[in-house]
Every structure is written in structure tokens, then in C-alpha cells.
Amino acid sequence: MNVRSMERVVLGAAAVLCLIIGSLSQGQFGPQKHEPKGPWENKSLSPDERADLVIGKMTLDEKIQLLHGLGWEVLFAPLESGPGTRAIRPFEFIPGVPRLGIPDLQMTDAVVGVSGAGVKSRYATALPSAEAMAAGWDPALSYETGTLIGSEVRAHGLNLSHGSGINLTREPRDGRTFEYKGEDPLLAGTLAGQELKAMKAMNVVTGVKHYILNDQEAGRMFVNSVIDKRSMRESDLLAFEIALRESQAGAVMCSYNKINGVYACEDDYSLNEVLKKEFGFKGFVISDWGGTHSTVKAVLAGLDIEMPGYSFLGEPLKKAVESGEVPMIRLNDMVHRILRTEFDSGIVDNPPQAQVVDLFRGFEVAQKIEEKGAVLLKNGHGQLPLNAAGVKSIAVIGGHADVGVMSGGGSAQVSPAGGNAVPPPPGAFDDPLAMFNITVYHRSAPLRGIAEKAKGTVVKFDPGTDPVSAAALAKSSNVAIVFAVQHTFENMDLPSLSLPEKQDALIEAVAAANPHTIVVLETGGPVTMPWIDRVSAVIEAWYPGIRGSEALANILFGDVNPSGKLPLTFARTEADLPHPKHVDQPAVDPNHPITPLPGLPVVPGISTNQTPFDSVYDEGLKVGYKWYDAERREPLFPFGFGLSYTTYGYSELKTTSDNGLTVTFKLKNTGNRAGEETAQVYLTLPASAHEPPRRLVGWSKIALGPGEQKDVTVKVDPQMVSVFNPDRNLWEVVPGEYKVWAGGSSRDLPLSATIALSGK
């Protein structure tokens, strides 16, 4: 029997099994009408008290039922059959306990909007990438983003969102960089915290991922992230700590990778010692899909829910409890964490009601995120904004800009309204992992937005597939705008930071033909730019979302003054990265037996025979801009960088110490246009602290009219003045002189002052 025949047999058997499960379970696990069931309905009681009252009435089987999903088999079920039919994807469903009024958990990935809604002909707003939101450096915008996502989660009848990812950018070629919020723990943690806080306020169980050190996609299920404890606490763990402290989120998703030799979902140090004890996390830990590897070890280490199946936390867990390997007190703790989170989030008292999504509000927020998050990287000789009245002809080139804007792929993929603007080639979905790597374009055509702004101007499009043709159009036009794209997606890292498909050569050809060449980058992260000195302007648009056309046109023509700042560093070349050569998984041993994911049949393209390998984070504390500062390397564009159509001046820095630091200075708009400036504060610690040269400790985004000046105050949290002492397992202030910096980026800090701290 060949591979395809075997696959059909496996899929067919799984589908039959799922139909059987569905016929038995539809009545028990289908949507339930909530009715009062017991004293835990008393809303004056605390979530913990209410959870304990429910636990007192539960059977062992009911407790186990809350701790796992329905299995990988439902991947192959008909969409409208079996349990969990309200869930967009049935493998994102956990049945509740109807007789006690405990609702089903209906989950979704909602990093950039509710993902996968199109499989049931539903609509969800496709927001710009999480990087674009991070580039806004605007906690209020993050809160607004969370409010929108929370409202759409509920509009779909769902009640749990795995909606914010904050893995720091240690490896910029990571295929999921677009889902995260940059390279700095304070920036990422603060913005994620506000987004999660807003979602929770909408009565949604909020989740944050991927905990922790899941910083590359290549070999993600087998890579062992090797790092020292201090570096871990001051980088990736710090980002999660800040986010959870600000949001009181209800769920943390543990990741696929190993941490210093132990799978993340069975790592006692990160889950029990740090997350639950030191952070005081009261919610539940849920595994990434297929990220569970054991029963007793995982449960005792802090894992509370196995997804999507029940290979370890189903019948094996029941037996472990009955035998005493897993104490009943631990089982009750797992259930308590789930129930108290459901009460605390409001999904019991105020369950979601499916309704029509407010698409107009979605348009507004999506456009605002892109307008605030697009970063103007270069603007030679004031090329931008374009003067519609003064430009007679515009060449728009490449990037399928005539039909849409690119988006990132994988489980975060928001279904494109009206279908993919660039249909994939025939046979693209033959691969079982097609959901990860199919390139999706949302129907928001930059060509249309540009043409509408430049009425009376000749606007022509060239696909950019032939540099000669594109250059000819550029030469005959006053201005050329090249849209360059880079598709990134889950389960795969980029081979390099170069633009794919010979787009560098395209830009070189166009720039040679027309000195007024503007490059708009739609990318999943930083890219190298060998042509940077030959183009007049560059805008990093990230993945612009469903209103990308309107937002980009507003920026190009000056209706919006760009204010985005980079949340991560752009390297000149890969030789400047901490790891110039990507840490790849070893070659597959063809003689090694195929190992399926837990609970999943052997399916070509999904199962694997890979073995673990190490990714050693020997850069330690030097993440992102801290690496470039410490190694004295000049980036292409530094962390925090972003130009404006106006200019700003900083003066009169003062700093005082009282439970942290208070930093004040004056900020003036020295240009003739209104704008917003993200004023950033950095700190240099005493040499005895053995820290990188500078760390971000605070910022403030300030709106200023032409010539306007404001006093700016930035409060620095005591933790941001501290270092983690792994020997004492605590944060402490090193006595000595600290240097405070303020300015417009990590490499543009015109103000500085010193202050002595005692260490107390």
C-alpha cells in the first residue's frame, strides 16, 4: 500500500470514529442553556468560593472531563456534526458540566482577530499583525485592540481566546514573529497586558502564549532552549510576568519546546515555581496542541489541561488519581483553577450570545492600528508625503498591490473576507499542513487607495514579475512605489532575512530607473535592504490588515503623520545577529521509526521521526538592541526608531528616586505639522551589575501640535531598576551610579543624567 492509500485509510477510519463520538456526544456536549444549579450561583461570593462549591458536587469523571479536549480525531469530522459545533474548529472545545451549570469552553486563536471563522462562513476582522500594534507603542491602542477582539470572540459565541503572544524576538527569522510584540520585555509585556485586560473586561477567558522560550518554529516540538536562569527571568519570563500582572489573565499556554532539557509543559521550575508561586498566577496552564508528553510528570509540574486530546489527561489521569500517583488535592487544584477562572472572567454569569460582528467598528480599529504602527524608516529629501496635486504620474509595482495586502499564516490566520485575493495554485491544499503555508491576501488593494487619493493623476500598475517591465513603467512616471512582500507562517522559519523571489533585484532596477522610488514593506519581521541608499523612502507596513489600503494611502499622502517606532532591531546583515547561522533541526534519519504526535494517527506531513536538538541562547541577557549595544554593532535601523513628517526636540531632563525612578523632561514639536512622538527612557546600570549597556525602562507617547511643547513624566517601576539574583532567587537593586537617558530611539538619546542608588 502506498503512502497516499495509507493516508486515505487513516483519515477514513478517523472520520468514522469521530462520527461515532459525535452521535454519542451531541446531546451531552452540545450548547447548553444556562440555568441556576446551586449555591455557587451567588454572585456575591468570590470566584474561589464559587469554584470550591462546584467541586464539592462533582464526580471524578466530571473533573477529568474538564481537563482535556476531544482529540485530534475531530480534525476529520464534518463541520456541523459532533460535539463542539459552536467552536470554529472542533479541536478547540472542552465540554462543560451541564447539570452543574458549567459551560463548555469554546476556544479560538485571536492574535490578530478571530481565526478560521471562514470555515463556517463567518466573518471576523483581520487586524494588522501584532508587530504593527507593538510598533504603535500605545497602551491605549492595545486596550482598544483587546476590546475589539473580545467583542468579536463573544459575537462568534466563543468564550476563550488564546489571544496574545509575547515570545521575544531572539531569532528574527522565526516564522511567527508577526504574532508577537518585539524584542523588549517591558514593551511586549505592557502592551500584551493591556490587550488581555481589555479582553477580560469583555467577559472572555484570556490566554497568553507560548510559555516560554518558543522563539523559533524550525523543529519547534524538539528544540531544547538552553539558557541560564538570570537571563530567562530578565527577558522572556519578565515579559510574561508584566503581562499577567497587568491583566490577571486566566490561561497560560505552555509551549512545544524543551527548556534546559525538560519539555515546557512538564517543567516544574517555570510552571510551578515561577508562574504559580512567584507570579501568583491563579488561572490554568493549558498545553499547546500536542505539547503534552506525560501524565504524572506533567500534572505534578503544573499542567492543568491537555489539548487537543486525552492521551495523557484522560483515562491515564483518572487511573493515576485512583492509584494515588496524582493526589486528589492536585486534581482538585486543576479543576479549581479552571472553574475559578470561568467565574472570574464572567463567562458563567454572562455567557456569550452569538450575533453579527460589528464590521464597521472592526474597520475603524484595524485602520487605526496600521496608521499608528506603520514605521517610516527613510524619507530622503522630504519625498513623503506625496503631493497629489503636484505628482502627475505614479507607478505602483509588485506585491499584488492591485488586489490586496498580505497576511501571516498558521493558526492565527484570519479568514479573508470574500476569499483569498490571490488564489493559491492548484493542488496547494494537498499538503496536510496547507493551513500553515498558504499565502493569504486580504481584499484591501493599495492600488485602489492610492488612485483615490491621487485623482487626476495617472496611476498604473505593474506586477513586478519582470524587472525590465517594472523599470520601464517607473522611468515614465514621476514617482514609483514598490510593494515588497515576505510571507511568514507557523511551523516554518525563514531561510534568511532577504526579501524572497528576487525582489531586491526588482527594487534595484526600479530605483535605477527612477530616483523617486518609495518602498512599502509588507513583511513578518525585519529584512535586509541592500538597496537602502538608492531609494528615496521606505515604510515598514508589517501585515496591514483589512484596511491596509486606506491606512497606507493616508500615510503616503500625508493625511496621517506616521508615528510608529520599531519594536525590534533591523540588522544590516545576518552576520550581525547573535546567531548568524540559523539553528536548524538535524536531518531526519530515514531509518528511525515515525513518531506521531500524542493522540494523532500517523499522517504523512504531520507525524515525524525527528530527534531533539539544542538551541543555545549564549547571548543571555543581550536580546535585540542590547546585543547591538553590547557588541558595538551598527544596526540598519535600531529598536525604537521611526521617522515623522515633523521633528521633535528634547530638553531639561531631571530624575528622582522614590520607589523606582521618576523621570521628567520637556518635549517640543519643532516642525510645522501635528504629530505623535514616543519619548523613550533607558537606563544604564552600574558596571558591577554586569548588564548590557542600556535597557528600556519606560516611555510615553505624546501628541503635539506645530511648535507645541509639553512636560513629560515617565514613572519607572522598581523592577526595571533591578536585576535578578539567581542565587538568592530575588530581584535586587545594585548600589552605585545609574545613568538615565531620554530620546526618540535606543540610538538617539540626546538627554542624560546620573543618579546614585543605595541598593535599598
Side-chain angles (χ1 to χ4, degrees):
M1 184 179 293
N2 61 33
V3 169
R4 283 294 175 196
S5 299
M6 290 177 65
E7 182 179 2
R8 285 195 293 270
V9 170
V10 170
L11 299 186
V16 171
L17 174 61
C18 194
L19 287 172
I20 295 172
I21 294 173
S23 64
L24 293 175
S25 306
Q26 178 70 10
Q28 182 180 1
F29 298 146
Q32 299 291 324
K33 181 180 179 181
H34 180 73
E35 297 178 357
K37 301 293 182 181
W40 51 86
E41 299 289 339
N42 183 351
K43 299 178 185 179
S44 67
L45 298 176
S46 71
D48 291 288
E49 291 172 319
R50 297 174 74 178
D52 285 339
L53 287 170
V54 175
I55 290 172
K57 297 293 184 182
M58 294 179 74
T59 67
L60 177 58
D61 285 337
E62 286 171 336
K63 293 175 183 179
I64 299 294
Q65 178 179 296
L66 293 183
L67 307 180
H68 60 80
L70 298 175
W72 284 108
E73 293 86 355
V74 295
L75 275 168
F76 313 114
L79 288 177
E80 300 297 339
S81 72
T85 54
R86 280 192 300 164
I88 291 173
R89 294 184 285 232
F91 52 88
E92 295 183 316
F93 170 84
I94 296 177
V97 186
R99 75 176 187 89
L100 300 177
I102 302 305
D104 304 334
L105 281 180
Q106 306 270 2
M107 311 176 197
T108 180
D109 282 289
V111 175
V112 292
V114 178
S115 63
V119 300
K120 292 189 176 182
S121 297
R122 300 172 180 173
Y123 171 84
T125 301
L127 298 173
S129 61
E131 282 172 311
M133 188 259 275
W137 288 62
D138 189 342
L141 177 63
S142 297
Y143 193 93
E144 189 173 4
T145 302
T147 300
L148 176 76
I149 292 175
S151 69
E152 294 201 3
V153 168
R154 287 180 60 84
H156 284 281
L158 310 174
N159 57 17
L160 192 162
S161 169
H162 302 292
S164 197
I166 52 174
N167 295 84
L168 298 187
T169 308
R170 285 180 175 271
E171 172 48 82
R173 290 159 293 203
D174 180 6
R176 297 182 87 168
T177 299
F178 76 93
E179 294 188 40
Y180 304 137
K181 297 174 177 65
E183 66 193 25
D184 183 82
L186 179 62
L187 178 66
T190 300
L191 298 183
Q194 288 301 304
E195 183 183 12
L196 291 162
K197 183 178 180 180
M199 277 191 262
K200 182 179 178 182
M202 296 299 296
N203 297 133
V204 172
V205 175
T206 53
V208 61
K209 61 186 183 183
H210 302 91
Y211 188 85
I212 55 171
L213 297 165
N214 182 184
D215 298 328
Q216 70 176 63
E217 286 297 287
R220 60 181 177 165
M221 292 188 172
F222 309 95
V223 63
N224 177 32
S225 302
V226 180
I227 187 172
D228 67 277
K229 188 177 293 185
R230 177 180 174 181
S231 297
M232 195 189 324
R233 292 299 298 266
E234 291 190 22
S235 59
D236 299 66
L237 278 171
L238 179 57
F240 279 91
E241 181 178 4
I242 293 169
L244 292 170
R245 185 166 63 223
E246 292 206 2
S247 67
Q248 301 300 306
V252 168
M253 181 186 291
C254 52
S255 53
Y256 288 127
N257 55 287
K258 288 184 175 183
I259 305 165
N260 294 325
V262 181
Y263 280 112
C265 291
E266 52 189 39
D267 181 42
D268 180 75
Y269 173 72
S270 62
L271 297 180
N272 277 336
E273 295 301 317
V274 177
L275 179 64
K276 293 186 174 180
K277 293 179 182 177
E278 296 185 33
F279 293 178
F281 177 62
K282 295 182 178 180
F284 57 85
V285 175
I286 183 170
S287 77
D288 205 339
W289 272 230
T292 306
H293 296 269
S294 63
T295 300
V296 176
K297 183 177 181 179
V299 166
L300 296 184
L303 180 65
D304 300 305
I305 292 179
E306 174 191 4
M307 289 300 290
Y310 41 80
S311 298
F312 298 105
L313 269 58
E315 189 63 26
L317 176 58
K318 181 180 178 180
K319 291 179 179 178
V321 172
E322 291 173 334
S323 70
E325 289 183 277
V326 172
M328 181 61 72
I329 191 172
R330 170 60 183 132
L331 179 70
N332 286 343
D333 173 63
M334 298 164 73
V335 177
H336 176 95
R337 288 175 173 277
I338 296 165
L339 294 175
R340 69 92 51 204
T341 297
E342 293 184 4
F343 285 118
D344 182 56
S345 66
I347 68 169
V348 177
D349 300 327
N350 185 22
Q353 300 296 323
Q355 58 186 317
V356 176
V357 168
D358 184 350
L359 76 162
F360 299 107
R361 178 62 178 151
F363 285 169
E364 179 183 343
V365 175
Q367 184 169 333
K368 183 185 292 188
I369 294 171
E370 178 61 18
E371 288 176 348
K372 286 180 174 287
V375 183
L376 180 61
L377 295 176
K378 182 178 180 180
N379 194 21
H381 305 292
Q383 176 71 71
L384 294 173
L386 295 173
N387 181 353
V391 177
K392 302 303 180 184
S393 56
I394 300 174
V396 177
I397 298 167
H400 295 288
D402 58 329
V403 293
V405 292
M406 182 176 275
S407 62
S411 56
Q413 180 71 66
V414 178
S415 302
N420 195 343
V422 182
F429 287 97
D430 290 348
D431 182 351
L433 296 179
M435 65 172 284
F436 293 114
N437 56 30
I438 294 297
T439 306
V440 171
Y441 284 79
H442 295 295
R443 294 173 180 265
S444 181
L447 178 66
R448 184 180 67 245
I450 291 167
E452 289 177 354
K453 288 288 182 185
K455 291 180 179 177
T457 299
V458 176
V459 180
K460 293 183 178 181
F461 177 75
D462 184 280
T465 51
D466 177 8
V468 175
S469 171
L473 177 60
K475 188 172 184 178
S476 65
S477 305
N478 294 145
V479 173
I481 306 175
V482 180
F483 284 81
V485 295
Q486 172 207 61
H487 188 229
T488 60
F489 49 92
E490 181 178 353
N491 203 46
M492 185 76 71
D493 286 346
L494 292 168
S496 75
L497 294 181
S498 299
L499 287 169
E501 298 174 356
K502 301 180 180 178
Q503 291 178 96
D504 285 333
L506 170 67
I507 295 170
E508 296 271 9
V510 171
N514 189 326
H516 301 292
T517 294
I518 301 160
V519 177
V520 178
L521 296 166
E522 295 175 40
T523 67
V527 295
T528 52
M529 305 180 198
W531 34 261
I532 187 65
D533 294 331
R534 290 179 284 282
V535 301
S536 60
V538 180
I539 296 174
E540 176 56 75
W542 316 107
Y543 296 139
I546 192 63
R547 295 285 283 187
S549 171
E550 291 80 1
L552 289 171
N554 282 342
I555 292 170
L556 287 166
F557 288 89
D559 297 283
V560 168
N561 188 352
S563 61
K565 300 273 191 173
L566 292 179
L568 36 68
T569 305
F570 278 45
R572 288 187 178 275
T573 71
E574 288 166 51
D576 291 327
L577 298 176
H579 301 279
K581 187 178 187 320
H582 187 283
V583 180
D584 291 322
Q585 54 189 328
V588 172
D589 179 0
N591 299 316
H592 193 282
I594 290 179
T595 304
L597 295 177
L600 183 66
V602 175
V603 178
I606 297 179
S607 302
T608 181
N609 59 357
Q610 190 50 260
T611 55
F613 63 102
D614 290 344
S615 181
V616 181
Y617 294 163
D618 50 13
E619 72 276 12
L621 296 169
K622 297 180 289 188
V623 183
Y625 65 95
K626 298 172 186 176
W627 165 263
Y628 291 86
D629 290 347
E631 300 295 320
R632 298 182 180 180
R633 300 191 182 193
E634 191 66 27
L636 180 61
F637 295 108
F639 174 80
F641 176 82
L643 299 174
S644 168
Y645 294 153
T646 188
T647 53
Y648 302 96
Y650 290 76
S651 63
E652 299 183 34
L653 176 69
K654 297 177 183 178
T655 182
T656 58
S657 172
D658 181 17
N659 190 30
L661 296 176
T662 299
V663 182
T664 61
F665 51 90
K666 294 184 184 298
L667 178 66
K668 184 176 182 179
N669 183 339
T670 54
N672 57 11
R673 294 179 60 106
E676 288 184 288
E677 168 72 339
T678 298
Q680 302 158 43
V681 176
Y682 294 81
L683 188 67
T684 298
L685 280 67
S688 59
H690 303 292
E691 288 282 318
R694 280 182 292 275
R695 65 166 64 163
L696 178 73
V697 294
W699 74 90
S700 182
K701 190 160 188 173
I702 306 294
L704 294 167
E708 184 180 7
Q709 178 173 283
K710 288 183 179 179
D711 294 324
V712 180
T713 299
V714 175
K715 297 286 290 184
V716 179
D717 187 272
Q719 189 176 30
M720 300 312 300
V721 186
S722 308
V723 300
F724 185 77
N725 185 329
D727 296 326
R728 301 178 64 192
N729 200 45
L730 51 76
W731 291 85
E732 60 186 17
V733 176
V734 176
E737 279 203 343
Y738 289 70
K739 192 165 186 178
V740 179
W741 307 79
S745 82
S746 64
R747 289 291 180 98
D748 178 20
L749 300 167
L751 303 183
S752 65
T754 58
I755 185 170
L757 299 179
S758 66
K760 297 180 181 179

